Amino acid sequence: MTAVGPFEDEDVRAVEALEVTVTAPIVSFRNPLYAGVQVALPCPPPATVGGMLAAAAGGWDAVDPGTRFAMAFRARGKGVDLETYHPLDATGRKADPTPREREFLAGVTLTMWLVADAELWERRLRRPVWPLRLGRSQDLVGVATRRVMLRTGPGRQGHAVLPEGIAPAPGGTLLRLPTAVSLDRSRTRWDGYRFDPSGRSETPITGDRVNEAGQTVAFLPPVHPAQLAAAVGA
């Protein structure tokens, strides 16, 4: 853990958070809205990041259903390669494997902020129960954590993944992403998110918090499958 001092203009409303930096050489996030073709997303869906946290904790049963996080994502490059697919035919039986093009992102960094249970998540991420992956099962990641201070006020949009409806309207692309997936994968909660892959947007965003570098920190909806079940039962 690295201790971080207060802001120069001391803000009594500042809170301590766990900043998690996740790095990977290659990742690929298939867009589930497209069936039969490989279309990749420019950033990980919140449900995917939540799944990584659940792996660190040892399963969703060990995760507080109200857990929320903010995140920013950047990739240094992208490309296309070939991957072997194992499709099912119309009857549900396995058909012959076939190669298909797969879009991927290279040299990626995911930054997350957790305020609640920061010490607990610090321990879990230091010694995860299951291997930590981002997207596909073969895309293992490296993780580093540190304590930071977040204060209130507007921040720079940069590489933040922002919930739809935040004001003023951020730049970038409006994406429809899975927020939560039921344990049996039969139901998915979808929400709108704004993301600018270039990270060049300097639009001042009034999120929940801002970090010392001026990056806005906007917490996303809960990703726990129990949230989806509660919404269905309401």
Side-chain angles (χ1 to χ4, degrees), residues 135-221:
R136 302 179 311 158
S137 60
Q138 61 265 51
D139 292 334
L140 294 174
V141 300
V143 177
T145 63
R146 65 174 187 140
R147 297 293 182 94
V148 299
M149 298 300 294
L150 305 177
R151 61 177 171 81
T152 57
R156 174 173 43 84
Q157 178 179 346
H159 291 88
V161 178
L162 301 168
E164 183 182 16
I166 202 168
T173 304
L174 178 61
L175 302 168
R176 196 74 170 162
L177 301 177
T179 297
V181 180
S182 63
L183 294 178
D184 63 2
R185 307 188 69 81
S186 64
R187 288 168 288 142
T188 301
R189 170 180 166 176
W190 298 83
D191 289 295
Y193 297 91
R194 284 277 181 186
F195 178 63
D196 179 7
S198 75
R200 297 187 183 122
S201 176
E202 296 294 332
T203 303
I205 300 297
T206 304
D208 297 284
R209 296 282 174 174
V210 59
N211 73 358
E212 292 179 301
Q215 170 71 65
T216 193
V217 175
F219 288 90
L220 308 182

Side-chain angles (χ1 to χ4, degrees), residues 79-99:
V80 178
D81 63 6
L82 291 175
E83 189 173 53
T84 301
Y85 281 73
H86 300 271
L88 302 178
D89 62 21
T91 65
R93 293 177 300 185
K94 290 184 178 180
D96 293 335
T98 179

Side-chain angles (χ1 to χ4, degrees), residues 15-148:
V15 297
E16 188 178 58
L18 181 67
E19 183 179 274
V20 184
T21 302
V22 180
T23 56
I26 297 289
V27 296
S28 183
F29 309 114
R30 188 180 69 82
N31 191 332
L33 291 175
Y34 295 84
V37 295
Q38 170 71 321
V39 177
L41 293 165
C43 65
T48 296
V49 178
M52 187 185 66
L53 292 178
W60 283 113
D61 289 343
V63 178
D64 186 323
T67 299
R68 298 177 64 191
F69 55 81
M71 68 178 189
F73 180 81
R74 67 176 63 189
R76 299 178 62 184
K78 61 182 180 180
V80 178
D81 63 6
L82 291 175
E83 189 173 53
T84 301
Y85 281 73
H86 300 271
L88 302 178
D89 62 21
T91 65
R93 293 177 300 185
K94 290 184 178 180
D96 293 335
T98 179
R100 284 188 182 170
E101 290 187 341
R102 178 199 61 154
E103 297 177 350
F104 65 85
L105 302 172
V108 305
T109 301
L110 167 69
T111 307
M112 305 169 57
W113 294 272
L114 292 141
V115 172
D117 300 321
E119 185 175 344
L120 174 63
W121 282 112
E122 194 171 46
R123 291 199 306 270
R124 286 172 166 175
L125 290 164
R126 183 180 298 142
R127 294 182 179 275
V129 176
W130 293 328
L132 301 184
R133 303 180 173 96
L134 195 59
R136 302 179 311 158
S137 60
Q138 61 265 51
D139 292 334
L140 294 174
V141 300
V143 177
T145 63
R146 65 174 187 140
R147 297 293 182 94
V148 299

